[in-house]
């Protein structure tokens, strides 16, 4: 199975020209042996039609296919546009947009019904970790979900902080996730860079990369680490 490497650009970049340049540069990276999925903001998805080596994902979708939901983008629209993957339940959606497990579960079901591959993000906050609640959080976030998912273990305190999770601790979480949800695969995310990617790829079948995916040279270095070159 090829390693799954997700580039989550979040709300970057801020212009069509910059997005186009970054999409072309990502396409040119040596990625044989990996399945690379680029998740740009919705407004740049139209620029991804040039991609051949890289698959396309969205960073979110609605829980319904169509209707009176101002500002939403539906999984049906994404599928029709040629999008293959969608990230759901990212901690930034949970914390800044109040998405709870119920909403996230509805989104997951609707995305799966439309034939999208779902990357479901789970992980504990720093406080939950300090209180020894990591296992409970993972149990809760994965309850009621079917096994047809890619689960990204992303400790919230490691996202965008430069404080990546100790690989042994991350592996413990992976084993628990596999036991609870029997997912298609478990990937790791949270301050991944070319120096630590090797620590995670030995026990996870992929990586979810935020900040380091915006720096195309650094992203290329991570791909090299994953490919063992
Ligand atoms: P980061 O983001 O790599 O910048 O920590 C990870 C993510 O988007 O989940």
């Amino acid at each position: 199975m090829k390693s799954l490497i997700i580039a989550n650009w979040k709300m970057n970049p801020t212009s069509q020209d910059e997005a186009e340049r970054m999409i072309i540069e990502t396409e040119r990276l040596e990625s044989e042996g990996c399945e690379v999925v680029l998740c740009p903001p919705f407004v740049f998805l139209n620029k991804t039609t040039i991609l051949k080596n890289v698959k396309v994902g969205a960073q979110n979708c609605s829980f319904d296919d169509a209707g009176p939901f101002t500002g939403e983008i539906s999984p049906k629209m994404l599928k029709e546009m040629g999008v293959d993957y969608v990230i759901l339940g990212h901690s930034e959606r949970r914390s800044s947009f109040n998405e709870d497990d119920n909403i996230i579960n509805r989104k997951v079901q609707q995305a799966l019904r439309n034939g999208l591959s779902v990357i479901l993000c789970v992980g504990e906050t720093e406080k939950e970790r300090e209180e020894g609640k990591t296992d409970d959080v993972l149990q809760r976030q994965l309850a009621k979900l079917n096994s047809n998912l890619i689960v990204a273990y992303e400790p919230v305190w490691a996202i965008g902080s430069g404080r990546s999770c100790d690989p042994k601790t991350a592996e413990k979480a992976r084993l628990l996730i596999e036991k609870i949800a029997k997912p298609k695969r478990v990937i790791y995310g949270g301050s991944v860079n070319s120096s630590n990617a090797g620590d995670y790829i030995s026990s996870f079948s992929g990586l979810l990369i935020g900040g380091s995916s915006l720096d195309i040279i650094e992203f290329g270095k991570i791909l090299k680490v994953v490919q063992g070159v």
Side-chain angles (χ1 to χ4, degrees):
M1 181 162 65
K2 287 183 173 184
S3 295
L4 183 67
I5 310 297
I6 316 287
N8 176 15
W9 283 2
K10 310 195 181 190
M11 201 167 69
N12 302 288
T14 53
S15 78
Q16 292 279 333
D17 285 352
E18 182 75 347
E20 191 166 352
R21 180 187 66 73
M22 289 168 63
I23 288 166
I24 291 168
E25 286 178 6
T26 303
E27 167 73 5
R28 285 192 189 135
L29 295 173
E30 179 59 61
S31 62
E32 217 176 292
C34 306
E35 168 128 330
V36 179
V37 180
L38 177 57
C39 303
F42 290 125
V43 292
F44 303 136
L45 285 173
N46 61 336
K47 301 268 178 206
T48 59
T49 49
I50 59 121
L51 293 173
K52 291 198 172 60
N53 304 324
V54 173
K55 295 242 162 84
V56 181
Q59 298 174 17
N60 183 26
C61 73
S62 171
F63 49 68
D64 214 332
D65 281 351
F69 300 107
T70 302
E72 289 292 278
I73 304 284
S74 88
K76 201 179 182 73
M77 295 169 184
L78 295 172
K79 189 69 191 172
E80 199 264 341
M81 254 196 115
V83 169
D84 293 310
Y85 289 82
V86 62
I87 299 172
L88 293 172
H90 192 283
S91 75
E92 289 153 12
R93 302 283 330 160
R94 293 178 193 261
S95 64
S96 301
F97 302 94
N98 294 325
E99 289 190 11
D100 60 15
D101 292 319
N102 181 36
I103 291 282
I104 293 163
N105 288 355
R106 286 176 64 194
K107 291 182 175 203
V108 167
Q109 303 313 338
Q110 204 63 20
L112 291 174
R113 260 180 230 124
N114 279 284
L116 292 167
S117 293
V118 172
I119 303 149
L120 175 74
C121 302
V122 297
E124 78 289 356
T125 62
E126 182 146 46
K127 186 163 175 282
E128 288 163 339
R129 163 161 297 258
E130 281 165 5
E131 291 170 356
K133 292 187 182 151
T134 301
D135 291 10
D136 296 345
V137 171
L138 296 178
Q139 295 270 8
R140 191 197 75 229
Q141 291 176 333
L142 291 164
K144 298 194 214 138
L145 287 166
N146 71 35
S147 58
N148 201 17
L149 302 174
I150 297 155
V151 175
Y153 173 58
E154 298 207 299
V156 176
W157 46 273
I159 296 174
S161 63
R163 291 166 54 210
S164 57
C165 182
D166 161 55
K168 284 226 161 60
T169 310
E171 184 166 14
K172 253 182 74 194
R174 174 180 66 78
L175 293 171
L176 181 64
I177 290 166
E178 281 170 353
K179 204 165 130 207
I180 306 168
K182 306 200 170 32
K184 287 206 286 201
R185 47 166 110 208
V186 187
I187 65 176
Y188 172 81
S191 293
V192 174
N193 56 41
S194 58
S195 310
N196 63 25
D199 297 339
Y200 300 110
I201 208 65
S202 52
S203 76
F204 286 83
S205 62
L207 302 168
L208 174 42
I209 303 168
S212 298
S213 70
L214 293 167
D215 176 343
I216 311 297
I217 294 175
E218 174 65 3
F219 190 60
K221 284 188 193 161
I222 295 174
L223 294 181
K224 283 206 163 117
V225 171
V226 173
Q227 293 168 98
V229 291

